[in-house]
Amino acid sequence: MTLPMSDPTAWATAMNNLGMAPLGIAGQPILPDFDPALGMMTGIPPITPMMPGLGIVPPPIPPDMPVVKEIIHCKSCTLFPPNPNLPPPATRERPPGCKTVFVGGLPENGTEQIIVEVFEQCGEIIAIRKSKKNFCHIRFAEEYMVDKALYLSGYRIRLGSSTDKKDTGRLHVDFAQARDDLYEWECKQRMLAREERHRRRMEEERLRPPSPPPVVHYSDHECSIVAEKLKDDSKFSEAVQTLLTWIERGEVNRRSANNFYSMIQSANSHVRRLVNEKAAHEKDMEEAKEKFKQALSGILIQFEQIVAVYHSASKQKAWDHFTKAQRKNISVWCKQAEEIRNIHNDELMGIRREEEMEMSDDEIEETTETKETEESALVSQTEALKEENDSLRWQLDAYRNEVELLKQEQGKAHREDDPNKEQQLKLLQQALQGMQQHLLKVQEEYKRKEAELEKLKDDKLQVEKMLENLKEKESCASRLCASSQDSDYPLEKTLNSSPIKSEREALLVGIISTFLHVHPFGASIEYICSYLHRLDNKICTSDVECLMSRLQHTFKQEMTGVGASLEKRWKFCGFEGLKLT
């Protein structure tokens, strides 16, 4: 939007409508009474997306901010906005790739030129299909133009200044489903799918591991090169693979047999090197095991010292001076340290057992060298005794330290040190927080249990109602069985008329028959009782069900549905029962 700077009023109006403080070229305010909260001046209509000359998409409107629509003036007609207090006009679900809108409520005297004049502000129009019944379909060039056209839904249109009914109407704009839009959308989706497949294929090709280099064909020149590579330790793997491929291809013949034999001999010369390398790696592994065992034994020593500290702190002379929270922490730490110590001790013992088993296997295998095995066993026993002696010495040192600590505590028993109040307050606060959290958990558990109790009570009431209904059905069935035992015809006639005991029940039978006659597929007992409750609130569901079960020739109960949707429905069978009776 371009405005001449020579007209300060127009410039101020544009800045005001955009919600910015109007400023001049030098930065001074043009309008001192500008209110940024309102975003517009009194008497000046704000800019709307449908004003002539503004071919822009309407900005997103916050959901909590009401949309203010203004009067739109065209050459041949005028559009008046709807009542802002009314709800927004309803629209159908937007079809995919929708570029076509349905426009209803057009004036009877409206022409295609007027429709173009109104809706060309929304964007480029591809086609218009106008009907004789005051509606039309408009197809735009892009999808976003449909949103701008929906902005006009609810506007009242008037042709010129006429007030004739044929020159007025209320526009209703909605999404329309067109085959052309769907076809273009499907083409676009297929194009995107092709691009995605191409992108995925390129990514797979990029991540695919490279193919191994091809093996050259055998020749005297290549044979000499491979023979030199076989002598080099760094190129041995590549050369031996080439040699293997040549042999498998069948390149060995009488002429080349000597060359292949020399290459095989060169490959065999690397066996001793590989054996020496394996022995060096085994030696390194043994040294690493020994270092690991030594480090693990050192860790166990430190664990023993820590556990000894915990045990000395747990004795009564030191234990009485700790608070409850501190005692709890010390006991937990002690248990954790003992568990970790036992795990490490088991691991160390497992390593020793493995070494012993290896040594025993060596003894079985080397039956000829019995003296050396006996010496190794003695060495292992002496080492085990040394380790046991060391552990006992460490325990003795720990006990000595405990005795020294007890002596120091006895010497300092006469001194009464004031406890640190801040630490006690912190500990009390932590204890209170823990109690509050526990109380909240108990309250949540209590609420959950109470809800479960309420649910169980409701289930119990439902079960009791079902039992009452079953009892009533049993009583009705017993009465019907008793009536069937009588063989006299007059008695049968009286018994057939006996299910209806009062005039109220006769009225209920008539009302239920009429209701079920209107519902030929049947209705549930709850649906029937909800209809009867509108007439009388005192009607009981069990009474109605008992009455209908007594009239077997008038009403019948059937099961409908499958699985979880299984439902009992009552149907009217009076016409069939009349034939049977």
Side-chain angles (χ1 to χ4, degrees):
M1 176 169 47
T2 59
L3 294 173
M5 289 303 297
S6 60
D7 189 358
T9 306
W11 176 254
T13 303
M15 296 289 286
N16 191 17
N17 288 332
L18 292 174
M20 296 183 291
L23 300 174
I25 298 175
Q28 72 279 8
I30 300 175
L31 299 174
D33 57 347
F34 173 77
D35 188 4
L38 296 175
M40 56 185 173
M41 292 188 300
T42 306
I44 299 175
I47 294 176
T48 63
M50 300 310 302
M51 279 189 174
L54 291 181
I56 58 174
V57 183
I61 300 172
D64 55 348
M65 179 179 175
V67 180
V68 179
K69 296 184 177 181
E70 299 295 332
I71 299 174
I72 300 175
H73 297 280
C74 300
K75 293 180 181 179
S76 305
C77 61
T78 307
L79 301 177
F80 297 93
N83 188 355
N85 297 324
L86 294 177
T91 57
R92 61 179 291 181
E93 185 178 358
R94 182 167 189 160
C98 180
K99 296 181 183 179
T100 307
V101 295
F102 165 83
V103 182
L106 294 171
E108 293 184 13
N109 295 334
T111 62
E112 187 173 336
Q113 182 180 0
I114 293 173
I115 296 171
V116 172
E117 183 181 343
V118 173
F119 286 94
E120 69 180 356
Q121 306 174 66
C122 304
E124 182 183 356
I125 297 173
I126 301 298
I128 296 177
R129 296 189 298 274
K130 188 176 182 302
S131 176
K132 297 179 180 179
K133 296 184 179 181
N134 302 332
F135 70 88
C136 69
H137 289 83
I138 304 174
R139 188 163 188 260
F140 291 99
E142 298 294 338
E143 292 184 25
Y144 72 88
M145 299 176 183
V146 174
D147 299 325
K148 296 173 67 176
L150 289 176
Y151 181 83
L152 297 175
S153 185
Y155 269 80
R156 290 179 290 107
I157 184 171
R158 187 178 68 186
L159 303 181
S161 59
S162 175
T163 58
D164 191 5
K165 187 176 181 180
K166 295 183 178 181
D167 294 336
T168 59
R170 184 181 294 276
L171 297 179
H172 174 70
V173 186
D174 198 355
F175 299 109
Q177 191 167 4
R179 288 193 298 270
D180 296 340
D181 297 344
L182 183 61
Y183 176 74
E184 290 182 2
W185 181 78
E186 290 176 349
C187 292
K188 186 177 180 181
Q189 294 299 316
R190 285 195 291 269
M191 182 184 68
L192 294 175
R194 286 195 298 270
E195 291 178 356
E196 181 64 25
R197 286 196 300 271
H198 177 69
R199 192 180 302 109
R200 195 181 299 114
R201 193 180 301 113
M202 295 297 291
E203 186 68 17
E204 290 176 357
E205 290 178 359
R206 187 178 66 84
L207 297 176
R208 185 182 295 118
S211 301
V215 179
V216 297
H217 292 281
Y218 175 79
S219 64
D220 294 338
H221 177 68
E222 295 294 337
C223 179
S224 61
I225 294 174
V226 171
E228 292 296 329
K229 288 183 178 179
L230 285 172
K231 296 176 183 178
D232 190 357
D233 295 343
S234 60
K235 299 178 181 179
F236 173 74
S237 298
E238 180 185 355
V240 78
Q241 186 65 32
T242 305
L243 176 61
L244 176 63
T245 306
W246 285 348
I247 294 173
E248 289 178 350
R249 284 180 183 176
E251 300 287 348
V252 182
N253 51 36
R254 289 184 179 181
R255 187 173 62 85
S256 61
N258 293 330
N259 294 333
F260 276 100
Y261 179 77
S262 62
M263 288 189 289
I264 293 170
Q265 191 176 9
S266 299
N268 184 52
S269 64
H270 288 272
V271 173
R272 186 178 297 176
R273 177 181 63 83
L274 295 175
V275 171
N276 294 332
E277 288 182 2
K278 179 176 177 292
H281 289 306
E282 286 179 351
K283 185 177 179 182
D284 294 339
M285 186 178 68
E286 293 295 332
E287 291 178 356
K289 280 184 179 180
E290 190 66 28
K291 289 181 181 179
F292 173 72
K293 191 168 65 174
Q294 292 176 1
L296 192 60
S297 61
I299 291 170
L300 280 174
I301 294 169
Q302 296 179 10
F303 269 118
E304 291 289 345
Q305 294 173 352
I306 294 170
V307 172
V309 171
Y310 289 144
H311 285 308
S312 62
S314 301
K315 293 185 179 180
Q316 188 173 4
K317 291 183 179 180
W319 192 255
D320 294 340
H321 296 287
F322 294 118
T323 61
K324 190 174 181 180
Q326 291 173 345
R327 293 174 185 174
K328 185 177 179 181
N329 291 334
I330 291 171
S331 60
V332 170
W333 295 338
C334 183
K335 289 180 181 178
Q336 292 177 354
E338 287 178 349
E339 290 176 358
I340 297 171
R341 180 198 62 185
N342 293 333
I343 291 169
H344 284 75
N345 195 8
D346 293 340
E347 188 176 357
L348 183 60
M349 294 303 294
I351 293 171
R352 290 175 182 171
R353 281 195 294 270
E354 289 178 358
E355 290 178 353
E356 291 176 357
M357 290 176 67
E358 289 176 358
M359 291 172 66
S360 63
D361 293 338
D362 294 338
E363 290 175 1
I364 293 170
E365 291 174 358
E366 299 175 359
T367 54
T368 57
E369 300 178 356
T370 55
K371 293 182 179 181
E372 293 180 0
T373 54
E374 289 176 358
E375 290 177 359
S376 63
L378 290 173
V379 170
S380 63
Q381 289 179 2
T382 53
E383 287 178 356
L385 290 173
K386 284 181 181 179
E387 290 176 357
E388 290 179 1
N389 189 14
D390 292 338
S391 63
L392 291 173
R393 187 169 63 253
W394 296 330
Q395 290 180 3
L396 182 61
D397 293 338
Y399 290 139
R400 286 177 181 173
N401 293 330
E402 288 181 4
V403 171
E404 290 177 0
L405 289 171
L406 288 173
K407 287 181 180 179
Q408 291 177 3
E409 289 175 358
Q410 288 178 358
K412 296 179 181 178
H414 64 279
R415 299 178 182 177
E416 294 180 357
D417 297 329
D418 294 332
N420 194 347
K421 294 183 179 181
E422 293 182 357
Q423 292 181 356
Q424 289 182 357
L425 287 173
K426 288 181 180 179
L427 293 171
L428 289 172
Q429 288 177 356
Q430 292 177 359
L432 285 173
Q433 289 177 359
M435 292 174 67
Q436 288 176 355
Q437 292 177 359
H438 182 67
L439 182 61
L440 290 173
K441 290 180 180 178
V442 170
Q443 288 178 352
E444 291 177 357
E445 187 70 19
Y446 175 73
K447 289 180 181 178
R448 188 173 62 80
K449 295 288 184 183
E450 192 173 1
E452 291 178 357
L453 183 61
E454 292 292 334
K455 188 177 180 181
L456 290 173
K457 286 182 179 178
D458 295 338
D459 295 342
K460 184 180 178 182
L461 290 174
Q462 292 179 2
V463 171
E464 289 178 354
K465 288 181 181 179
M466 291 174 66
L467 287 173
E468 291 177 359
N469 295 333
L470 289 173
K471 288 180 181 179
E472 290 177 358
K473 289 180 181 180
E474 288 178 359
S475 62
C476 294
S478 62
R479 290 175 187 173
L480 292 172
C481 291
S483 63
S484 63
Q485 292 176 0
D486 297 335
S487 60
D488 295 335
Y489 176 75
L491 292 175
E492 286 180 1
K493 189 174 181 180
T494 56
L495 286 172
N496 287 332
S497 61
S498 63
I500 300 175
K501 298 177 181 180
S502 63
E503 186 178 0
R504 176 182 175 82
E505 291 185 355
L507 289 171
L508 285 174
V509 170
I511 294 169
I512 295 170
S513 302
T514 307
F515 179 78
L516 291 177
H517 185 61
V518 177
H519 296 78
F521 296 104
S524 61
I525 189 67
E526 291 82 6
Y527 187 23
I528 296 169
C529 291
S530 65
Y531 175 73
L532 294 175
H533 283 164
R534 297 181 181 177
L535 305 175
D536 188 2
N537 294 327
K538 298 179 181 179
I539 294 174
C540 183
T541 306
S542 58
D543 297 339
V544 175
E545 191 172 5
C546 182
L547 177 62
M548 295 174 70
S549 61
R550 282 184 290 177
L551 300 173
Q552 296 182 356
H553 295 291
T554 308
F555 308 106
K556 65 178 180 180
Q557 191 177 22
E558 293 181 353
M559 302 292 289
T560 60
V562 178
S565 62
L566 199 63
E567 184 183 12
K568 294 181 179 180
R569 291 195 177 186
W570 288 92
K571 291 186 178 181
F572 177 72
C573 61
F575 300 113
E576 299 174 2
L578 185 62
K579 295 178 183 179
L580 295 173
T581 55

